[in-house]
Short mmCIF file of all heavy atoms in Angstrom, two decimals:
data_model
loop_
_atom_site.label_atom_id
_atom_site.label_comp_id
_atom_site.label_asym_id
_atom_site.label_seq_id
_atom_site.Cartn_x
_atom_site.Cartn_y
_atom_site.Cartn_z
N GLY R 19 -84.68 -65.02 67.50
CA GLY R 19 -86.06 -64.87 67.11
C GLY R 19 -86.39 -65.29 65.69
O GLY R 19 -87.54 -65.12 65.24
N LYS R 20 -85.40 -65.84 64.99
CA LYS R 20 -85.62 -66.25 63.60
C LYS R 20 -85.36 -67.74 63.44
O LYS R 20 -84.68 -68.36 64.24
CB LYS R 20 -84.73 -65.44 62.65
CG LYS R 20 -85.05 -63.97 62.61
CD LYS R 20 -84.27 -63.27 61.53
CE LYS R 20 -84.65 -61.80 61.41
NZ LYS R 20 -83.91 -61.12 60.34
N GLU R 21 -85.89 -68.27 62.35
CA GLU R 21 -85.66 -69.68 62.05
C GLU R 21 -84.25 -69.88 61.50
O GLU R 21 -83.64 -68.96 60.96
CB GLU R 21 -86.70 -70.18 61.04
CG GLU R 21 -88.11 -70.22 61.58
CD GLU R 21 -89.07 -70.87 60.62
OE1 GLU R 21 -88.66 -71.22 59.49
OE2 GLU R 21 -90.25 -71.04 60.99
N ARG R 22 -83.77 -71.13 61.63
CA ARG R 22 -82.47 -71.45 61.05
C ARG R 22 -82.55 -71.34 59.52
O ARG R 22 -83.51 -71.81 58.91
CB ARG R 22 -82.05 -72.85 61.47
CG ARG R 22 -80.63 -73.19 61.13
CD ARG R 22 -80.17 -74.45 61.84
NE ARG R 22 -80.17 -74.29 63.29
CZ ARG R 22 -79.64 -75.17 64.13
NH1 ARG R 22 -79.08 -76.28 63.66
NH2 ARG R 22 -79.67 -74.96 65.43
N GLU R 23 -81.54 -70.75 58.93
CA GLU R 23 -81.52 -70.45 57.50
C GLU R 23 -80.29 -71.09 56.85
O GLU R 23 -79.18 -70.97 57.37
CB GLU R 23 -81.46 -68.92 57.32
CG GLU R 23 -81.25 -68.46 55.90
CD GLU R 23 -80.99 -66.97 55.80
OE1 GLU R 23 -80.24 -66.44 56.64
OE2 GLU R 23 -81.53 -66.34 54.87
N GLY R 24 -80.52 -71.74 55.72
CA GLY R 24 -79.41 -72.25 54.94
C GLY R 24 -78.68 -71.10 54.26
O GLY R 24 -79.31 -70.30 53.57
N VAL R 25 -77.38 -71.00 54.46
CA VAL R 25 -76.59 -69.90 53.91
C VAL R 25 -75.91 -70.33 52.61
O VAL R 25 -76.03 -69.66 51.58
CB VAL R 25 -75.54 -69.43 54.93
CG1 VAL R 25 -74.67 -68.34 54.35
CG2 VAL R 25 -76.25 -68.94 56.21
N VAL R 26 -75.18 -71.42 52.68
CA VAL R 26 -74.44 -71.89 51.51
C VAL R 26 -74.11 -73.35 51.72
O VAL R 26 -73.95 -73.80 52.85
CB VAL R 26 -73.16 -71.05 51.29
CG1 VAL R 26 -72.22 -71.14 52.47
CG2 VAL R 26 -72.45 -71.43 50.01
N CYS R 27 -74.04 -74.10 50.64
CA CYS R 27 -73.69 -75.52 50.75
C CYS R 27 -72.75 -75.88 49.62
O CYS R 27 -72.62 -75.16 48.62
CB CYS R 27 -74.93 -76.40 50.73
SG CYS R 27 -75.87 -76.36 49.20
N ILE R 28 -72.08 -77.03 49.79
CA ILE R 28 -71.16 -77.54 48.78
C ILE R 28 -71.36 -79.05 48.68
O ILE R 28 -71.47 -79.74 49.71
CB ILE R 28 -69.70 -77.17 49.11
CG1 ILE R 28 -68.75 -77.58 48.00
CG2 ILE R 28 -69.25 -77.75 50.46
CD1 ILE R 28 -67.35 -76.96 48.14
N SER R 29 -71.42 -79.54 47.46
CA SER R 29 -71.65 -80.97 47.25
C SER R 29 -70.41 -81.77 47.65
O SER R 29 -69.32 -81.22 47.81
CB SER R 29 -71.99 -81.23 45.79
OG SER R 29 -70.91 -80.84 44.95
N SER R 30 -70.58 -83.08 47.79
CA SER R 30 -69.45 -83.91 48.19
C SER R 30 -68.34 -83.89 47.14
O SER R 30 -67.16 -83.99 47.47
CB SER R 30 -69.91 -85.34 48.46
OG SER R 30 -70.48 -85.91 47.30
N SER R 31 -68.70 -83.72 45.87
CA SER R 31 -67.69 -83.64 44.81
C SER R 31 -66.96 -82.31 44.83
O SER R 31 -65.88 -82.18 44.24
CB SER R 31 -68.36 -83.82 43.45
OG SER R 31 -69.18 -82.72 43.15
N GLY R 32 -67.58 -81.31 45.45
CA GLY R 32 -67.01 -79.96 45.44
C GLY R 32 -67.38 -79.17 44.19
O GLY R 32 -67.03 -78.00 44.08
N ASP R 33 -68.12 -79.81 43.28
CA ASP R 33 -68.41 -79.15 42.01
C ASP R 33 -69.57 -78.16 42.10
O ASP R 33 -69.71 -77.28 41.25
CB ASP R 33 -68.75 -80.19 40.94
CG ASP R 33 -67.55 -81.03 40.55
OD1 ASP R 33 -66.42 -80.54 40.73
OD2 ASP R 33 -67.73 -82.17 40.09
N THR R 34 -70.43 -78.35 43.09
CA THR R 34 -71.66 -77.56 43.16
C THR R 34 -71.71 -76.80 44.47
O THR R 34 -71.47 -77.38 45.54
CB THR R 34 -72.89 -78.47 43.07
OG1 THR R 34 -72.85 -79.19 41.84
CG2 THR R 34 -74.17 -77.64 43.15
N THR R 35 -72.00 -75.52 44.39
CA THR R 35 -72.29 -74.72 45.57
C THR R 35 -73.60 -73.98 45.35
O THR R 35 -73.95 -73.65 44.21
CB THR R 35 -71.18 -73.71 45.88
OG1 THR R 35 -71.04 -72.81 44.78
CG2 THR R 35 -69.84 -74.41 46.11
N THR R 36 -74.30 -73.74 46.43
CA THR R 36 -75.58 -73.03 46.38
C THR R 36 -75.60 -72.00 47.49
O THR R 36 -75.30 -72.33 48.63
CB THR R 36 -76.75 -74.00 46.54
OG1 THR R 36 -76.71 -75.00 45.51
CG2 THR R 36 -78.08 -73.26 46.46
N HIS R 37 -75.94 -70.77 47.14
CA HIS R 37 -75.96 -69.68 48.11
C HIS R 37 -77.36 -69.11 48.24
O HIS R 37 -78.09 -69.00 47.25
CB HIS R 37 -75.04 -68.54 47.65
CG HIS R 37 -73.61 -68.89 47.50
ND1 HIS R 37 -73.14 -69.69 46.48
CD2 HIS R 37 -72.53 -68.54 48.24
CE1 HIS R 37 -71.83 -69.82 46.60
NE2 HIS R 37 -71.42 -69.13 47.66
N VAL R 38 -77.70 -68.70 49.45
CA VAL R 38 -78.90 -67.90 49.61
C VAL R 38 -78.63 -66.52 48.99
O VAL R 38 -77.49 -66.05 48.97
CB VAL R 38 -79.28 -67.79 51.11
CG1 VAL R 38 -78.26 -66.97 51.87
CG2 VAL R 38 -80.67 -67.24 51.28
N ASP R 39 -79.65 -65.90 48.43
CA ASP R 39 -79.46 -64.66 47.68
C ASP R 39 -78.76 -63.57 48.48
O ASP R 39 -77.95 -62.80 47.95
CB ASP R 39 -80.80 -64.13 47.18
CG ASP R 39 -81.36 -64.95 46.02
OD1 ASP R 39 -80.60 -65.74 45.44
OD2 ASP R 39 -82.55 -64.79 45.71
N SER R 40 -79.04 -63.50 49.76
CA SER R 40 -78.52 -62.40 50.58
C SER R 40 -77.00 -62.44 50.76
O SER R 40 -76.41 -61.44 51.19
CB SER R 40 -79.20 -62.39 51.94
OG SER R 40 -78.95 -63.60 52.63
N VAL R 41 -76.36 -63.56 50.45
CA VAL R 41 -74.91 -63.65 50.64
C VAL R 41 -74.15 -63.83 49.34
O VAL R 41 -72.92 -63.90 49.34
CB VAL R 41 -74.53 -64.78 51.61
CG1 VAL R 41 -75.29 -64.64 52.94
CG2 VAL R 41 -74.75 -66.15 51.00
N LYS R 42 -74.85 -63.91 48.24
CA LYS R 42 -74.18 -64.09 46.94
C LYS R 42 -73.21 -62.94 46.68
O LYS R 42 -73.53 -61.77 46.89
CB LYS R 42 -75.22 -64.17 45.82
CG LYS R 42 -75.95 -65.50 45.76
CD LYS R 42 -76.94 -65.55 44.61
CE LYS R 42 -77.64 -66.90 44.57
NZ LYS R 42 -78.66 -66.96 43.49
N GLY R 43 -72.01 -63.31 46.24
CA GLY R 43 -70.98 -62.31 45.98
C GLY R 43 -70.21 -61.89 47.21
O GLY R 43 -69.23 -61.15 47.10
N ARG R 44 -70.62 -62.36 48.39
CA ARG R 44 -69.93 -61.99 49.63
C ARG R 44 -69.37 -63.19 50.38
O ARG R 44 -68.31 -63.10 50.99
CB ARG R 44 -70.89 -61.25 50.56
CG ARG R 44 -71.46 -59.97 49.98
CD ARG R 44 -72.21 -59.16 51.03
NE ARG R 44 -73.38 -59.87 51.57
CZ ARG R 44 -73.56 -60.14 52.86
NH1 ARG R 44 -72.65 -59.76 53.75
NH2 ARG R 44 -74.64 -60.77 53.28
N PHE R 45 -70.07 -64.30 50.37
CA PHE R 45 -69.66 -65.50 51.12
C PHE R 45 -69.17 -66.57 50.15
O PHE R 45 -69.76 -66.79 49.10
CB PHE R 45 -70.83 -66.07 51.91
CG PHE R 45 -71.26 -65.25 53.10
CD1 PHE R 45 -70.85 -63.95 53.30
CD2 PHE R 45 -72.11 -65.82 54.05
CE1 PHE R 45 -71.25 -63.21 54.39
CE2 PHE R 45 -72.53 -65.10 55.15
CZ PHE R 45 -72.10 -63.79 55.32
N ILE R 46 -68.10 -67.24 50.55
CA ILE R 46 -67.52 -68.31 49.73
C ILE R 46 -67.32 -69.54 50.59
O ILE R 46 -66.69 -69.46 51.66
CB ILE R 46 -66.17 -67.88 49.14
CG1 ILE R 46 -66.33 -66.61 48.29
CG2 ILE R 46 -65.57 -69.01 48.30
CD1 ILE R 46 -65.02 -65.98 47.90
N ILE R 47 -67.84 -70.66 50.13
CA ILE R 47 -67.64 -71.93 50.84
C ILE R 47 -66.55 -72.71 50.12
O ILE R 47 -66.45 -72.68 48.89
CB ILE R 47 -68.94 -72.74 50.91
CG1 ILE R 47 -68.77 -73.97 51.81
CG2 ILE R 47 -69.43 -73.15 49.52
CD1 ILE R 47 -70.07 -74.71 52.10
N SER R 48 -65.73 -73.40 50.89
CA SER R 48 -64.72 -74.27 50.31
C SER R 48 -64.51 -75.46 51.24
O SER R 48 -64.88 -75.41 52.41
CB SER R 48 -63.40 -73.51 50.09
OG SER R 48 -62.88 -73.03 51.31
N ARG R 49 -63.91 -76.50 50.71
CA ARG R 49 -63.67 -77.68 51.52
C ARG R 49 -62.27 -78.22 51.23
O ARG R 49 -61.75 -78.08 50.12
CB ARG R 49 -64.72 -78.77 51.25
CG ARG R 49 -64.76 -79.30 49.84
CD ARG R 49 -65.98 -80.21 49.63
NE ARG R 49 -65.94 -81.37 50.51
CZ ARG R 49 -67.00 -82.10 50.84
NH1 ARG R 49 -68.18 -81.80 50.35
NH2 ARG R 49 -66.87 -83.15 51.64
N ASP R 50 -61.69 -78.80 52.25
CA ASP R 50 -60.39 -79.45 52.13
C ASP R 50 -60.57 -80.86 52.69
O ASP R 50 -60.55 -81.06 53.91
CB ASP R 50 -59.33 -78.66 52.91
CG ASP R 50 -57.93 -79.22 52.73
OD1 ASP R 50 -57.80 -80.42 52.36
OD2 ASP R 50 -56.96 -78.49 52.98
N ASN R 51 -60.75 -81.81 51.80
CA ASN R 51 -61.05 -83.17 52.25
C ASN R 51 -59.86 -83.80 52.98
O ASN R 51 -60.05 -84.64 53.85
CB ASN R 51 -61.47 -84.04 51.07
CG ASN R 51 -62.80 -83.62 50.49
OD1 ASN R 51 -63.65 -83.05 51.19
ND2 ASN R 51 -63.01 -83.90 49.21
N ALA R 52 -58.66 -83.40 52.62
CA ALA R 52 -57.48 -83.96 53.29
C ALA R 52 -57.43 -83.56 54.76
O ALA R 52 -56.85 -84.27 55.58
CB ALA R 52 -56.22 -83.49 52.58
N LYS R 53 -58.07 -82.43 55.07
CA LYS R 53 -58.10 -81.94 56.45
C LYS R 53 -59.46 -82.14 57.11
O LYS R 53 -59.68 -81.62 58.21
CB LYS R 53 -57.71 -80.46 56.49
CG LYS R 53 -56.28 -80.19 56.04
CD LYS R 53 -55.94 -78.72 56.13
CE LYS R 53 -54.49 -78.45 55.72
NZ LYS R 53 -54.14 -77.01 55.80
N ASN R 54 -60.37 -82.84 56.42
CA ASN R 54 -61.72 -83.03 56.96
C ASN R 54 -62.34 -81.70 57.39
O ASN R 54 -62.93 -81.60 58.47
CB ASN R 54 -61.71 -84.00 58.15
CG ASN R 54 -61.67 -85.45 57.72
OD1 ASN R 54 -61.54 -85.76 56.54
ND2 ASN R 54 -61.80 -86.35 58.67
N SER R 55 -62.19 -80.71 56.53
CA SER R 55 -62.60 -79.36 56.91
C SER R 55 -63.45 -78.70 55.83
O SER R 55 -63.33 -79.00 54.65
CB SER R 55 -61.38 -78.48 57.17
OG SER R 55 -60.63 -78.94 58.27
N VAL R 56 -64.30 -77.80 56.28
CA VAL R 56 -65.06 -76.93 55.40
C VAL R 56 -64.95 -75.52 55.96
O VAL R 56 -64.89 -75.33 57.19
CB VAL R 56 -66.53 -77.38 55.26
CG1 VAL R 56 -67.26 -77.39 56.60
CG2 VAL R 56 -67.26 -76.56 54.23
N TYR R 57 -64.89 -74.55 55.07
CA TYR R 57 -64.66 -73.17 55.46
C TYR R 57 -65.76 -72.27 54.90
O TYR R 57 -66.35 -72.56 53.87
CB TYR R 57 -63.29 -72.69 54.94
CG TYR R 57 -62.16 -73.61 55.32
CD1 TYR R 57 -61.66 -74.54 54.41
CD2 TYR R 57 -61.58 -73.56 56.59
CE1 TYR R 57 -60.62 -75.39 54.74
CE2 TYR R 57 -60.55 -74.41 56.94
CZ TYR R 57 -60.07 -75.32 56.01
OH TYR R 57 -59.04 -76.17 56.36
N LEU R 58 -65.97 -71.16 55.58
CA LEU R 58 -66.87 -70.13 55.09
C LEU R 58 -66.16 -68.80 55.19
O LEU R 58 -65.94 -68.28 56.29
CB LEU R 58 -68.18 -70.10 55.90
CG LEU R 58 -69.20 -69.07 55.42
CD1 LEU R 58 -69.64 -69.37 53.99
CD2 LEU R 58 -70.41 -69.04 56.36
N GLN R 59 -65.76 -68.27 54.04
CA GLN R 59 -65.15 -66.95 53.98
C GLN R 59 -66.28 -65.93 53.82
O GLN R 59 -67.04 -65.99 52.85
CB GLN R 59 -64.19 -66.85 52.79
CG GLN R 59 -63.55 -65.48 52.62
CD GLN R 59 -62.61 -65.13 53.76
OE1 GLN R 59 -61.83 -65.94 54.22
NE2 GLN R 59 -62.71 -63.89 54.22
N MET R 60 -66.38 -65.04 54.77
CA MET R 60 -67.45 -64.04 54.77
C MET R 60 -66.84 -62.66 54.60
O MET R 60 -66.06 -62.22 55.45
CB MET R 60 -68.25 -64.12 56.07
CG MET R 60 -68.80 -65.50 56.35
SD MET R 60 -69.90 -65.55 57.79
CE MET R 60 -68.74 -65.18 59.09
N ASN R 61 -67.19 -62.00 53.52
CA ASN R 61 -66.67 -60.67 53.20
C ASN R 61 -67.79 -59.65 53.21
O ASN R 61 -68.97 -59.99 53.06
CB ASN R 61 -66.00 -60.71 51.83
CG ASN R 61 -64.85 -61.69 51.76
OD1 ASN R 61 -64.05 -61.81 52.69
ND2 ASN R 61 -64.76 -62.42 50.66
N ASN R 62 -67.39 -58.39 53.36
CA ASN R 62 -68.36 -57.29 53.34
C ASN R 62 -69.54 -57.60 54.28
O ASN R 62 -70.71 -57.50 53.88
CB ASN R 62 -68.86 -57.03 51.92
CG ASN R 62 -69.67 -55.76 51.80
OD1 ASN R 62 -69.57 -54.87 52.63
ND2 ASN R 62 -70.50 -55.69 50.77
N LEU R 63 -69.22 -57.94 55.48
CA LEU R 63 -70.25 -58.34 56.43
C LEU R 63 -71.18 -57.19 56.78
O LEU R 63 -70.76 -56.02 56.83
CB LEU R 63 -69.62 -58.91 57.69
CG LEU R 63 -69.12 -60.34 57.53
CD1 LEU R 63 -68.07 -60.67 58.58
CD2 LEU R 63 -70.27 -61.32 57.60
N LYS R 64 -72.44 -57.53 57.00
CA LYS R 64 -73.48 -56.57 57.31
C LYS R 64 -74.09 -56.90 58.67
O LYS R 64 -74.06 -58.07 59.10
CB LYS R 64 -74.57 -56.62 56.24
CG LYS R 64 -74.05 -56.38 54.83
CD LYS R 64 -75.16 -56.53 53.80
CE LYS R 64 -74.63 -56.30 52.40
NZ LYS R 64 -75.70 -56.41 51.38
N PRO R 65 -74.68 -55.93 59.34
CA PRO R 65 -75.30 -56.23 60.64
C PRO R 65 -76.33 -57.36 60.56
O PRO R 65 -76.47 -58.14 61.52
CB PRO R 65 -75.97 -54.89 61.01
CG PRO R 65 -75.10 -53.87 60.36
CD PRO R 65 -74.67 -54.48 59.05
#
């Protein structure tokens, strides 16, 4: 019932990340270019 929301992003250089306020301090984005992968570590999850 809700619109799609941007949670967190990471630039191609990996130098810049941007978080929506509701996940700051809880969610961490990272990327491993050698594995063509991006990860989202989510801590202290809420309903």
Side-chain angles (χ1 to χ4, degrees):
K20 295 188 176 181
E21 293 187 356
R22 190 167 296 189
E23 173 189 42
V25 177
V26 61
C27 65
I28 186 167
S29 62
S30 60
S31 69
D33 291 336
T34 301
T35 61
T36 301
H37 299 72
V38 68
D39 286 346
S40 61
V41 306
K42 284 182 179 178
R44 300 190 297 123
F45 289 14
I46 302 169
I47 188 171
S48 61
R49 62 189 298 160
D50 185 339
N51 292 334
K53 295 182 179 180
N54 280 6
S55 296
V56 60
Y57 307 100
L58 182 62
Q59 178 67 43
M60 305 186 293
N61 300 319
N62 190 21
L63 282 159
K64 303 177 181 181

